[in-house]
Amino acid sequence: MNKADKIQFIKSQLQDLNIQEELFKQGLSSITSRKSYLEMELDSLGASNSTRKGRFEMTPELKLKAVACLTK
């Protein structure tokens, strides 16, 4: 393979890789958009994956049960 052929081959390979890169970017954009949409749907239904807000306070009865389990 002479120099001109090698240059032509490398340019065609780069062009193919650029096309593949753009396809992957479009795919990622589509996936990100779909993911965002589904997360918004979960939020609107009240079933989001967000952490619980507020404090959990144990009742005195639960505290006694927990201590009893630990001291068995």
Side-chain angles (χ1 to χ4, degrees):
M1 184 182 282
N2 64 29
K3 186 176 178 179
D5 290 339
K6 192 170 185 176
I7 290 171
Q8 186 62 32
F9 174 76
I10 292 171
K11 283 183 178 182
S12 70
Q13 291 293 305
L14 279 173
Q15 183 179 13
D16 289 345
L17 289 175
N18 284 333
I19 291 169
Q20 288 180 10
E21 184 179 27
E22 286 302 315
L23 288 172
F24 282 122
K25 285 179 183 177
Q26 288 176 5
L28 178 60
S29 175
S30 175
I31 290 169
T32 304
S33 175
R34 178 101 171 116
K35 181 181 171 186
S36 176
Y37 169 76
L38 292 173
E39 287 173 344
M40 285 182 357
E41 285 292 310
L42 278 176
D43 284 343
S44 71
L45 295 171
S48 66
N49 292 333
S50 63
T51 58
R52 185 175 183 270
K53 294 180 176 142
R55 286 183 33 190
F56 174 75
E57 294 188 26
M58 292 178 71
T59 63
E61 184 180 287
L62 271 174
K63 286 180 184 178
L64 286 174
K65 285 183 182 179
V67 170
C69 288
L70 293 172
T71 57
K72 279 187 179 176

